[in-house]
């Protein structure tokens, strides 16, 4: 049987038909796979976006694209949320945004915004006061490139070209990475490689910034790297301004809730704009990140976070033919709670018409690393994932890459419910599909669990990669180096590759329906 060996650089064809590629792919070559040669030719012929000069001090964080509260696909048109951060001077009315189809046509005010952007004042202690500005960009052609520019006092101060969310049925590519915002050389190399892969959007599996999820850490370790003005292994890449990015919260994002010790903490709720369609949690309710510290700091945080806290910790959305369910896996959430389980079940049940179903959260339920192996609390949802035919679960937390065989897991329950100890361990029995190889046998019996936490934070248990005898029975692949995941989505086929900082493919598997 032909095997895609660890460290060998192979083309997509080589992992499917057993023939070695003459010219190994790097991440940039992989990036051209999701669009036809005709569409690539048309897009390459577009005139370049005219440069705009940005006066020093205009932005605290340059513009970035997020999903906003647009969970469902828009049909004939699409929407995305444009955000940026600016010094807390003047008023939001000084700002506006214009859009146009890429490379042509007159500039038009962002649909439905009038002359002004909407701003939330961030005045939490520990960081200079600033605006988080946001404008919904609506009326976009699904999957098409578009240009936008940000104006201050009616003068353009920033411009970029981006791609609208793709419609159901369109093939597309996304990148997955976690445990990233550490300000490390590894993070910068990974971000640059992600840019070469040309994903249509990026998903971060949590621990967006280190160490405490603070606003200062976003401004030092995340925005300067993921939205660098130039692309290189030493700087990162200008990804956020042109590529939709979605994220799940990790422990380093929401677990540090004492606003006396970390007054600019919980910045996930300040700087992200994602759907608010999750369980109806209210501030201070069980199963949420309950605030600690002085009341004055709570008020400043709540004013800055608006409707995001705590609702934005759990949500779902659609992209192309995939339905995503994103969950807060931190230990303060009890996913055995009947109301939370009911929400997950209803969300997955309502997505049965989607061609593919993904679930994403930070803490992996199945890992062969010694570090964090006890964080198994999300195993309690295994029955729902299997019942509603979830294809892949994406997680991070463990700072490496691991992939399980397809598996089904039965939780051992006591008379009073789930058997779970205080450390998060959940005992049970796993049925493992080892006949699936991701090459010639590509229809799995069970859920595939992928850990992709090699985004830049210090690596965990790297030597385990070379000791397969120490892997637990459900582990199929283990890579102890910095890497990220590239996924090509087609109607009845997923092609998944793991790419290292050198651009070499470290894992490759296919799922078909």
């Amino acid at each position: 049987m032909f095997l895609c060996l660890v460290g060998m650089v192979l083309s997509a064809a080589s992992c499917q038909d057993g023939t070695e590629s003459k010219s190994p792919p790097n991440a940039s070559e992989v990036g051209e796979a999701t669009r036809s040669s005709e569409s690539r030719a048309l897009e390459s012929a577009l005139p370049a976006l005219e440069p705009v000069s940005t006066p020093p001090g205009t932005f605290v964080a340059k513009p970035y694209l997020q999903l906003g509260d647009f969970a469902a696909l828009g049909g004939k048109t699409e929407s995305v949320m444009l955000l940026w951060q600016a010094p807390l001077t003047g008023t939001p009315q000084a700002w506006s945004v214009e859009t146009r189809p890429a490379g042509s046509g007159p500039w038009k005010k962002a649909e439905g915004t009038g002359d002004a952007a909407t701003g939330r004042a961030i005045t939490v202690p520990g960081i200079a006061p600033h605006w988080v500005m946001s404008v919904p960009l609506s009326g976009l052609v699904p999957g098409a490139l578009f240009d936008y520019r940000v104006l201050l006092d009616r003068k353009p101060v920033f411009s970029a070209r981006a791609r609208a969310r793709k419609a159901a049925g369109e093939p597309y590519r996304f990148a997955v990475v976690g445990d990233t915002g550490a300000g490390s050389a590894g993070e910068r190399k990974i971000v640059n490689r992600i840019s070469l892969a040309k994903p249509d959007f990026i998903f971060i599996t949590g621990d967006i910034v280190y160490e405490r999820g603070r606003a200062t850490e976003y401004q030092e370790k995340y925005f300067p790297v993921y939205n660098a003005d130039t692309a290189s292994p030493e700087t990162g890449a200008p990804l956020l301004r042109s590529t939709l990015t979605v994220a799940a919260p990790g422990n380093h994002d929401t677990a540090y809730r004492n606003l006396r010790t970390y007054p600019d903490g919980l910045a996930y709720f300040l700087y992200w704009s994602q759907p608010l369609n999750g369980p109806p949690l209210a501030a201070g309710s069980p199963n949420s990140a309950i605030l600690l510290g002085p009341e004055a700091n709570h008020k400043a945080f709540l004013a800055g976070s608006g409707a995001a806290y705590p609702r934005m910790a759990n949500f779902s959305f659609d992209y192309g033919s995939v339905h995503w369910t994103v969950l807060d896996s931190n230990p303060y959430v009890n996913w055995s709670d009947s109301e939370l389980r009911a929400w997950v079940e209803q969300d997955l049940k309502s997505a049965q018409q989607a061609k593919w179903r993904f679930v994403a959260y930070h803490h992996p339920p199945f890992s062969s690393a010694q570090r964090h192996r006890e964080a198994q609390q999300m195993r309690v949802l295994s029955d729902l994932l299997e019942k509603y035919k979830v294809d892949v679960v994406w997680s991070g937390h463990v700072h490496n890459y691991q992939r399980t065989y397809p598996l089904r897991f039965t939780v051992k329950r006591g008379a009073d419910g789930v058997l779970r100890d205080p450390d998060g361990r959940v005992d049970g029995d796993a049925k493992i599909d080892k006949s699936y190889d991701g090459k010639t046998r590509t229809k799995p019996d069970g859920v595939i669990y992928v850990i992709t936490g090699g985004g830049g934070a210090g690596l965990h248990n790297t030597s385990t990669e070379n000791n397969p005898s120490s892997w637990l029975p459900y582990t199929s692949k283990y890579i102890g180096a910095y890497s990220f995941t590239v996924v090509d989505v087609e109607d009845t086929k997923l092609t998944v590759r793991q790419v290292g900082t050198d651009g070499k493919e470290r894992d490759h598997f296919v799922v078909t329906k």
Side-chain angles (χ1 to χ4, degrees), residues 359-425:
V359 171
Y361 45 70
H362 184 61
H363 298 75
F366 302 99
S367 171
S368 283
Q370 290 295 325
R371 186 77 175 267
H372 297 321
R373 187 182 292 183
E374 74 286 348
Q376 301 168 355
Q377 58 267 22
M378 298 307 287
R379 289 183 177 188
V380 301
L381 292 178
S382 298
D383 59 327
L384 294 182
L385 309 189
E386 295 159 18
K387 179 179 179 180
Y388 293 104
K389 297 180 173 57
V390 169
D391 298 289
V392 183
V393 171
W394 311 97
S395 62
H397 195 50
V398 178
H399 301 173
N400 54 44
Y401 169 81
Q402 297 178 55
R403 167 168 62 92
T404 70
Y405 293 100
L407 63 88
R408 299 178 182 275
F409 186 80
T410 302
V411 174
K412 289 183 179 178
R413 298 177 182 270
D416 57 350
V418 175
L419 181 61
R420 171 181 167 183
D421 71 16
D423 292 329
R425 295 183 185 274

Side-chain angles (χ1 to χ4, degrees), residues 170-190:
E170 288 189 88
Y172 71 92
R173 160 166 295 160
F174 67 93
V176 194
V177 68
D179 303 86
T180 180
S184 66
E187 176 193 5
R188 293 189 287 272
K189 290 177 182 178
I190 285 293

Side-chain angles (χ1 to χ4, degrees), residues 26-35 173-175 190-202 239 484-488 499:
N26 60 30
S28 60
E29 290 169 339
V30 168
E32 296 299 316
T34 58
R35 285 179 279 280
R173 160 166 295 160
F174 67 93
I190 285 293
V191 171
N192 183 62
R193 279 294 171 187
I194 292 174
S195 73
L196 293 174
K198 296 180 173 62
D200 294 305
F201 86 95
I202 300 166
L239 276 171
F484 69 99
T485 312
V486 180
V487 185
D488 287 301
V499 179

